[in-house]
Amino acid sequence: MYQDHRVQVPVLVVDDHPDVRLAMRMLLRSEGIPSVEVDSPAAALDAVSRSEFACAVVDLNYSADTISGREGLELVLRIREEAPELPLVVMTAWGSIDVAVQAMRLGAADFIEKPWNNARLIHTLRGQIALREIREENRRLRTETALSRQSGDMLRVCESSAMRRVVELIERIAVGDANVLILGENGTGKSLFAREIHALSKRAEQPAIRVDMGSLPDARFADEMFGEDKPVPRSGRFELADGGSLIMEEVTNIHPLQQAKLLRVIEEGELERGGTMRTRRVDVRIISTTNADLDAAIRNDRFRRDLLYRLNAMQVRLPALRERQEDIVPLARHFMLRDCQRRGSGAMTFSPSAERVLRGYDWPGNVRELEHAVERAVLLANHDTIDAEGLALRRPGDTPLALDGLTLPEAEELLVRNALERNEHNLQRAADALGISRQALYRRLGKQRTKGAELTG
């Protein structure tokens, strides 16, 4: 028996005949290839959406239509949409080659005829599995190459049209001198983009002074912003930013009583230090940020409309991460490369299932949450590939396993199945997660098969 220990991700077998599924299971098992068998197109799509597979063997005819192959062709198309990189091998009865050709036009990689030749079937599957491994290796090499170069600025990760428009707008307004207001939810990167505007401006060689407006106590606001001469002369933030940019973060946190003082300095370009009547001229570009609803703040008299007009000469709205889906995985890769560089470790990659989880998560904390999630996953990773479990993201609808009311064998079966799914059917990692040996896991899978379970290891 040829045992290929590299094959860890299972093959998906889709056929509505139990005898076919059993024969396929036994053949693949004899070749050391794990498999998952399902009996319908609906079950196949559910399996593909939940788990990772090395290849899929899909019958083209089902009970609803045993002749035309329509159901099978529709399934091929749906699987291609759900998992574009999953190799597909279709099965068709002898004499139905034209249907197999249609399936290949829809994206199937190869076909086999029923009844199949064992040697040809295994040769075909190993070829498709090898091609998948080559694609994975090529992706790893591209990651290694990217790691050897200076990784791009995260602000330039903008494959989404929403983010491209933001970057184009920032590049246009940065060269001017107008004040800029940046809007966006917490964690969208408002401070980073504020610094980017300064870096792209003609003021780039001068200071960019950042101040969190919510952290300034009212009693010290004027001295912190405009400076003081007594008891000790000290420059305020405006003077420190003279010739450069003043980045006022969360500007709507300024108390209404202090907003009038700020407005006068912005309008006149002049300030007076506390304790003196001497006027000083300042040349400052103000870049403000806020996550607040400005219209509501003005309606509720928490923010002056005339101050907003002065700050809002140019406005940039940063989209939430959920609004820029195409950027999620590239951003995650960027953070992963950066964290690998910081640790001095080799390149890492995300598994396809991890990338699906990244895209499917809502990211309420936006880019900041993504950055922290990747940093944690890289720090805790035991392999050079981060899988869905390694990201430790709790997706909507996820619930703890409910074991109450189950018999001991039923609970054991549920735990084994869950461990396999969480570890992408990697037997060694599933065994480690369960705290048992690989051989013990094999024995438990064998017991489940004798009860008619469709899952094999």
Side-chain angles (χ1 to χ4, degrees), residues 191-211:
S191 297
L192 292 176
F193 278 95
R195 291 196 290 270
E196 180 75 355
I197 291 173
H198 174 78
L200 294 174
S201 74
K202 61 186 178 181
R203 298 171 177 265
E205 300 301 318
Q206 301 301 319
I209 303 300
R210 169 189 167 276
V211 54

Side-chain angles (χ1 to χ4, degrees), residues 259 262-263 266 303-311:
Q259 292 176 23
L262 182 61
L263 177 62
I266 294 174
F303 202 77
R304 295 176 61 116
R305 188 181 299 274
D306 48 1
L307 177 56
L308 175 61
Y309 290 153
R310 289 294 180 178
L311 300 177

Side-chain angles (χ1 to χ4, degrees), residues 10-124:
V11 168
L12 176 66
V13 178
V14 190
D15 198 293
D16 58 355
H17 291 283
D19 291 343
V20 172
R21 297 197 302 274
L22 177 61
M24 186 74 71
R25 177 194 310 165
M26 295 177 65
L27 174 61
L28 295 180
R29 183 182 182 188
S30 71
E31 294 291 328
I33 302 175
S35 64
V36 172
E37 296 82 30
V38 296
D39 60 3
S40 68
L45 291 171
D46 182 65
V48 169
S49 69
R50 293 173 178 271
S51 304
E52 193 64 35
F53 298 101
C55 182
V57 183
V58 177
D59 188 28
L60 290 179
N61 292 306
Y62 296 88
S63 56
D65 182 356
T66 60
I67 300 175
S68 70
R70 179 180 54 80
E71 281 186 285
L73 294 174
E74 175 67 19
L75 177 58
V76 168
L77 191 59
R78 295 284 301 278
I79 290 178
R80 287 266 61 79
E81 294 172 351
E82 178 69 30
E85 295 185 1
L86 175 64
L88 281 175
V89 176
V90 297
M91 292 189 294
T92 184
W94 183 85
S96 302
I97 304 301
D98 56 333
V99 180
V101 171
Q102 293 181 55
M104 295 182 71
R105 287 173 178 166
L106 293 175
D110 206 340
F111 72 93
I112 56 175
E113 294 178 272
K114 290 181 178 179
W116 63 77
N117 175 280
N118 286 351
R120 155 133 167 83
L121 172 60
I122 294 301
H123 177 77
T124 298

Side-chain angles (χ1 to χ4, degrees), residues 50 357 361 392-401:
R50 293 173 178 271
V357 169
Y361 186 63
L393 297 177
R394 188 169 180 82
R395 293 167 294 179
D398 283 356
T399 56
L401 286 178

